[in-house]
Amino acid sequence: MAGWMIMLGSAFVVVTGYEVISGLRSLQSRDAVEKFLSEPPGDGLGLSVESALSILHGSAMIAAGCATAAGVLGFHILKRNRGARIALTVLAVPLFLAGIVTGGFMSSLVAVASVMLWLQPARDWFDGKAAPPVERAPEQRAPVWPPPVPPTEQPPADPRAFDGFGKTLTAPFSTGAGKPVTDVRRPDILVVAAIITWVFAGFALISSVIGIAVVASSPDVLLDQIAEQNPELASQGVTDATLIASTYFMGAVTVAWSALACVCAALMLRRSARAALALLVLSAFTAAICFVSTLASVVLALPALAAIVVVALLRRADSRAWFATGPSPVRPTYRPPAGG
């Protein structure tokens, strides 16, 4: 996963760097640089517009060059090349710093993936160590009552009273394998994944509820802000009713999505494999949606990164082993003797 993250993220950084360089001398870019240099903290840098454009051009070139090398090294990572891992670690620093010019999110993703190569279980894979065996609980079977007669013994000729007949079965039964069920301790990373989900999904849930309440009480505030940020919407035929309806719809979807993620995180800690799978799918879609939305707001890079971390934690071998050994309690069944 880290290798593919490095290759795909590097490709995005190269494409974004090319777009930045091609549009760096445009009038829009020049106006943005002039505005930045005329306000704090840009006015304290002492740079001219041409100097700032040159710095941006050089940073974009460095980010694109480092990303190109990182993409090639990511391919060699999949072949267990230790030299590629070291080179990626060295490239992660200039790629992260220079990648701020191209947006910062994808370059940060490549840097994080490079760090993941030094963590478990990637470190054992590079060292050639076999993965630890997955501890599975013995198969549980419902006990047969009354117990079958051993083949060495013959059934009594005359019927006799059976000890315990008619009583409630409260004693524990052993498994069909004759061994007690050994449980696997819950990994701490699942608690971390649940906390991350509750923090970000809870914040999105509360923010959406507050936003819906504000729009319902005073819609003019929202319309004034949208008109100030995008004055061309009115000329494109977008009415106020459409904007309000879209806001309600997006708020309702966010509330339902966030609430479902919080519930799945709680059920996951109760060893529900289906809840873990649902949380994995929700986190993956959240990362994809937030990544696309970073083109409009860089702030969404933070929940995208958090969702990627949750996906990585749920896909770890120890997490999957804990769900695979989940106990499925079997209630004892009573089967009356033949003719009884």
Side-chain angles (χ1 to χ4, degrees), residues 33-79:
V33 172
E34 290 179 353
K35 183 179 179 180
F36 173 75
L37 295 177
S38 62
E39 301 175 353
D43 56 352
L45 299 177
L47 296 176
S48 62
V49 176
E50 290 298 327
S51 300
L53 291 176
S54 300
I55 293 176
L56 293 176
H57 183 273
S59 300
M61 290 290 293
I62 294 174
C66 293
T68 303
V72 176
L73 293 172
F75 175 76
H76 290 281
I77 284 296
L78 302 180
K79 297 183 178 182

Side-chain angles (χ1 to χ4, degrees), residues 125-287:
W125 182 73
F126 276 102
D127 295 338
K129 297 180 181 179
V134 178
E135 184 180 358
R136 297 184 181 274
E139 182 183 358
Q140 290 181 315
R141 299 178 181 177
V144 179
W145 194 261
V149 180
T152 56
E153 299 181 5
Q154 297 296 330
D158 299 328
R160 58 181 180 180
F162 185 78
D163 187 19
F165 180 76
K167 296 181 180 179
T168 304
L169 302 179
T170 57
F173 290 87
S174 61
T175 61
K179 298 179 180 179
V181 178
T182 57
D183 202 1
V184 182
R185 179 180 177 272
R186 181 179 64 192
D188 295 335
I189 57 175
L190 291 180
V191 180
V192 176
I195 292 176
I196 294 176
T197 302
W198 289 331
V199 170
F200 284 89
F203 178 78
L205 176 63
I206 296 175
S207 301
S208 300
V209 171
I210 295 176
I212 292 175
V214 171
V215 173
S217 60
S218 56
D220 295 336
V221 176
L222 173 66
L223 296 176
D224 293 340
Q225 292 181 355
I226 295 178
E228 182 180 354
Q229 296 177 359
N230 300 287
E232 67 276 2
L233 289 179
S235 60
Q236 295 177 357
V238 181
T239 62
D240 295 344
T242 303
L243 292 175
I244 295 176
S246 301
T247 303
Y248 281 136
F249 175 75
M250 293 301 299
V253 171
T254 305
V255 169
W257 191 282
S258 303
L260 182 59
C262 292
V263 173
C264 289
L267 295 178
M268 175 196 65
L269 296 182
R270 297 175 64 96
R271 211 170 197 173
S272 174
R274 293 183 179 180
L277 179 60
L279 182 60
L280 180 66
V281 174
L282 291 174
S283 301
F285 274 101
T286 301

